[in-house]
Amino acid sequence: MKQVVERILAMLVLVGIGFILGLAVAKLQRLETQMIIGTHDGTPHADDIFAVAIVLLVDGRFDVIRTRDKQLLQAADIRVDVGMKYNPPTDFDHHMVDFNYTREDGRPYASAGLVGSHYWPLLIGDGDEAIYRRLDDKLLSSIDAVDCGIDTYTPISPYRVFDIQSYFSGYIPSAAALYGKTKDQIDAILYKSFMESVEEAKNILTREIEKARYWVIDQDLVNRAIDTARHADPRVIVLKRHAAWGETVAQHPEILFVVFYDESSENWVIQTVPEPGNRFSSKKLLPAEWAGKEGPEFIRTTGIHDAVFCHRSRFQARARSKESILEMADRVLD
């Protein structure tokens, strides 16, 4: 009987120790996850949305508070777009009177770019700065510019630009929707819309990083094709696959056409190169008699047995084989 009691007591002791250890581990886990990003309350802006999104992509353990209470912000581990201090890795504000931190080409920083410029090695993951530079050039620098009061578009009446700022403003409730509510209710509504915006910004960042990664790869392909064309005909470059060639080719005024294989349609394509700064223009158009032709009609017009079609705007034509598309190029260049 005594042995049975001792055995039961030993089991209870072990259970108690396990329970205590479990509580201790749980407490440590809670402490590990209780890191805080602080940003301003009120109306969210794209720069603070993306700044918070970048931090959460790098480390998802952070909680977010939106406040201007100095004590609460001081207790935060990171402060973005608030606090009147730029001191990474903890403070990423740009509202100070003497703040003059800019990119090499003079484009200003707001909180999205400031956070990105500090965290990019962790954000990108493989340490390739060219990928981050592409992300910053395409996305973050424009977000920062608008927050700094720079209009990045020239309005063309009667059209209205629906840019990324406009997109995220759709998450913000209108003043009419908030009318009559208490401050606590308004804060809760805006917090919810802010966090929904952050989740969407994380998705955008993830996609744009992936696209930037492939853009960098594409530039190597395009530059090698340009070097090859210099020894044949510098007016046309030939790519073995579809690639992001526009910006790189635009730097070479001698190039008139790009030929590439389009995997999605299994066609070879010839496309005109636009004038610099005008993506809807063409340095040299395809023949007028090709415009809008497709199938048998296009074959009869060109005499090319596997011709597919020519766009009515004469900026692009397609054929089934590389030989046929190069024949089109030869005809246009003669």
Side-chain angles (χ1 to χ4, degrees):
M1 185 68 174
K2 182 180 178 182
Q3 290 178 341
V4 172
V5 171
E6 287 175 348
R7 217 174 275 163
I8 292 172
L9 288 172
M11 289 176 62
L12 289 173
V13 169
L14 289 173
V15 169
I17 292 172
F19 180 73
I20 292 169
L21 286 173
L23 288 176
V25 170
K27 185 175 181 180
L28 285 172
Q29 288 175 338
R30 285 197 302 272
L31 288 172
E32 286 179 357
T33 59
Q34 286 176 346
M35 294 188 293
I36 296 172
I37 312 168
T39 188
H40 63 79
D41 58 7
T43 303
H45 304 125
D47 74 315
D48 47 276
I49 290 168
F50 274 84
V52 171
I54 289 169
V55 176
L56 291 179
L57 277 177
V58 169
D59 189 336
R61 295 176 298 166
F62 282 89
D63 289 329
V64 179
I65 61 169
R66 302 187 72 241
T67 183
R68 292 190 185 276
D69 185 300
K70 292 183 179 179
Q71 288 187 332
L72 291 176
L73 288 171
Q74 190 59 38
D77 298 276
I78 297 175
R79 289 158 289 278
V80 301
D81 210 38
V82 72
M84 300 299 284
K85 185 189 297 184
Y86 175 55
N87 184 31
T90 57
D91 291 273
F92 298 91
D93 199 9
H94 66 107
H95 294 100
M96 301 77 77
V97 174
D98 59 348
F99 181 84
N100 60 0
Y101 189 46
T102 65
R103 293 163 174 86
E104 290 181 2
D105 60 4
R107 283 181 290 181
Y109 276 105
S111 62
L114 290 177
V115 172
S117 67
H118 178 76
Y119 282 104
W120 75 260
L122 296 174
L123 180 66
I124 301 303
D126 61 4
D128 191 339
E129 188 173 358
I131 297 171
Y132 176 71
R133 292 301 163 208
R134 175 64 177 177
L135 176 71
D136 184 66
D137 183 61
K138 185 179 177 186
L139 178 64
L140 301 182
S141 61
S142 293
I143 291 171
D144 285 359
V146 172
D147 198 73
C148 291
I150 298 171
D151 193 347
T152 58
Y153 294 96
T154 301
I156 302 175
S157 181
Y159 300 103
R160 295 174 63 89
V161 173
F162 191 82
D163 60 2
I164 198 162
Q165 315 288 337
S166 306
Y167 178 77
F168 278 99
S169 70
Y171 282 90
I172 304 169
S174 66
L178 298 176
Y179 179 72
K181 292 182 170 55
T182 66
K183 184 180 186 308
D184 286 345
Q185 289 174 325
I186 292 172
D187 286 345
I189 292 169
L190 290 177
Y191 184 86
K192 181 175 181 292
S193 68
F194 179 81
M195 293 310 299
E196 288 173 348
S197 301
V198 167
E199 286 302 309
E200 180 63 11
K202 286 164 64 179
N203 292 333
I204 291 172
L205 284 163
T206 300
R207 290 196 302 268
E208 289 301 322
I209 289 169
E210 189 69 6
K211 290 177 71 175
R213 197 180 306 280
Y214 285 109
W215 183 87
V216 170
I217 293 171
D218 281 353
Q219 303 324 294
D220 180 62
L221 176 71
V222 173
N223 282 316
R224 282 189 281 112
I226 292 171
D227 289 339
T228 300
R230 289 195 181 103
H231 303 292
D233 189 334
R235 296 173 296 173
V236 57
I237 67 167
V238 181
L239 304 173
K240 63 182 180 182
R241 62 170 175 79
H242 197 289
W245 52 264
E247 294 172 43
T248 301
V249 169
Q251 300 172 24
H252 299 269
E254 72 279 7
I255 302 175
L256 302 179
F257 295 98
V258 176
V259 166
F260 59 89
Y261 181 66
D262 178 23
E263 299 90 344
S264 63
S265 64
E266 297 183 324
N267 289 164
W268 279 88
V269 181
I270 181 169
Q271 187 163 321
T272 63
V273 175
E275 297 285 352
N278 185 357
R279 64 193 179 108
F280 293 115
S281 66
S282 296
K283 291 180 182 178
K284 183 176 176 64
L285 290 169
L286 298 171
E289 59 271 21
W290 294 6
K293 302 290 196 305
E294 63 179 320
E297 185 181 17
F298 191 33
I299 292 172
R300 286 194 297 270
T301 301
T302 60
I304 295 174
H305 74 283
D306 60 354
V308 175
F309 92 101
C310 179
H311 195 279
R312 67 176 186 174
S313 298
R314 299 157 54 198
F315 78 95
Q316 186 186 99
R318 293 173 176 252
R320 292 292 181 190
S321 66
K322 180 179 181 180
E323 292 74 21
S324 294
I325 211 72
L326 290 176
E327 183 178 344
M328 289 185 189
D330 287 340
R331 293 186 189 182
V332 175
L333 291 169
D334 284 343

